[in-house]
Amino acid sequence: HFVPYSGKEKVHKGYCTQRNLMMPGRTEFFAHDSVGNVVYFDIQEGKGDIHESSREISDQFRSGKGGIAPLVVVDRELWGVDHFISLSGCRFVTWEKNCDKALLGQLPASLFTGRLKVNGKEYLHFEENKIYRNNAGKSIELRRIIVRNTEDGETLAVVSNDRIEDTATLAESMLKRWGCSENSFKHMGVRTQMHYNPQWEIREESDAQQVTNPEYLQLTKKLRDKKLKLNMICKALGKKEVALKKDGTPRKTPARDRMIAQKKALEAEIDQLKEQIDGCERRVDSTETGEAPFKVIDNESKNWWNLTEMLFWNMRKKLAGELFAYLPDERDLLPVLDAITSARGWIKSTKESLIVRLEPLEVARFKDAQVQLCRKMNNEKIKLPNGKLLQFDVGSDPYSVQK
């Protein structure tokens, strides 16, 4: 999730998906467990590095699982043979990028020997091993799981380096990423203002001062221009056919000869530019170019804000689970929970307790669920830091209570 910065200091840029452009700011990485509770977040400069974040979360959670790294489920931005190799100490599962969906859809049904149900949808699956290679000749062998939706026939591929979980677990983990859809960020953003930063404090310079070498940019621009001119000349030469004399020998064509000479000159210049680009550093320190150094945004206040976001989101998930026992229709579950938690009411404080009385909901079955949820919370015997007992009840005024 991208958090934009609108100040005047020079900071690194990240990709804002809402505006489809690069903007100054930071990138947040969130991770949740198998039931949707947020368990980890990481804030990085600019566009961030999800591979670094995956390694960090693997190292942090490894100790709690007897030295076994957790299974990290990531979207297609994890893709790449070099990236896969760099994550050899992690257990990951991700979608296969740039797969041929038409070819996958033609796979015979007899191959799909497994069946599973996720988010109310049924899927068929089977597994194979596949070696992936890059242009540099590096390769890695991964488990490849083909998943097909039984309703619409959509077929996708999932890859993983894990050697512990079975096929169904890996497929289910990928299909359950962020629940039924990837709208969790949208819901969290509406309720917690994920773009909000309590305080911008920018004093220190960033450790990452590398920028693209201006000389490298100029050379690559010249190379593009030369290639464009060469392409235009080649097209023009293709339209000028060689004229022949009566005896069959080529007729002299000054215009065509000039284009051939220009073509040879451009090819020589392109080869020379390629040599210069190969010997030119792509990245240099910003101080070498005379530019102002990048500053780093302090993350302390944002970390505290994100921590409260995690607590809110996880508690909302837990309350939704509790409310489901009294309101089994999933279509009403979250709207009713939002209505309960945002209801108006009264607060009474005594020496022993703090009592929160909520106004009842208008629909009878929603009101009954509201009362039952309050009773459930009261049975938990929740105590505040000052030792007072926190109690909830439902009533239409400060004096009458729904029993």
Side-chain angles (χ1 to χ4, degrees), residues 145-283:
I145 300 156
I146 314 301
V147 182
R148 175 171 293 173
N149 189 319
T150 58
E151 183 176 351
D152 58 16
E154 183 181 13
T155 308
L156 298 169
V158 177
V159 299
S160 175
N161 69 340
D162 178 63
R163 300 298 173 185
I164 298 176
E165 307 295 345
D166 58 21
T167 305
T169 301
L170 294 177
E172 184 179 9
S173 299
M174 195 71 242
L175 293 170
K176 287 177 63 176
R177 181 177 176 269
W178 283 116
C180 189
S181 66
E182 294 190 21
N183 289 328
S184 295
F185 278 144
K186 181 183 71 175
H187 298 314
M188 289 178 67
V190 170
R191 293 166 175 82
T192 66
Q193 299 182 31
M194 296 179 71
H195 283 177
Y196 175 64
N197 194 93
Q199 180 183 4
W200 277 333
E201 186 175 354
I202 305 180
R203 296 178 181 177
E204 299 180 0
E205 292 186 3
S206 172
D207 294 332
Q209 294 293 341
Q210 293 288 311
V211 296
T212 304
N213 188 351
E215 183 181 354
Y216 176 82
L217 290 175
Q218 291 178 0
L219 289 173
T220 52
K221 184 179 183 303
K222 286 183 180 179
L223 181 62
R224 287 196 301 270
D225 293 341
K226 296 294 183 183
K227 286 184 175 180
L228 181 61
K229 290 181 180 178
L230 179 62
N231 186 46
M232 293 173 64
I233 289 176
C234 289
K235 287 183 178 179
L237 279 172
K239 295 178 180 179
K240 285 186 174 293
E241 298 182 359
V242 179
L244 300 177
K245 297 179 181 178
K246 292 182 178 181
D247 58 0
T249 58
R251 186 184 300 275
K252 288 185 178 181
T253 312
R256 194 172 191 279
D257 292 341
R258 284 195 300 270
M259 285 190 287
I260 292 175
Q262 291 175 0
K263 178 176 177 292
K264 291 181 179 179
L266 282 172
E267 289 174 344
E269 291 178 8
I270 288 173
D271 291 338
Q272 185 179 1
L273 284 172
K274 286 181 178 179
E275 291 180 2
Q276 293 178 4
I277 290 174
D278 291 339
C280 181
E281 294 186 10
R282 296 193 177 190
R283 307 280 291 179

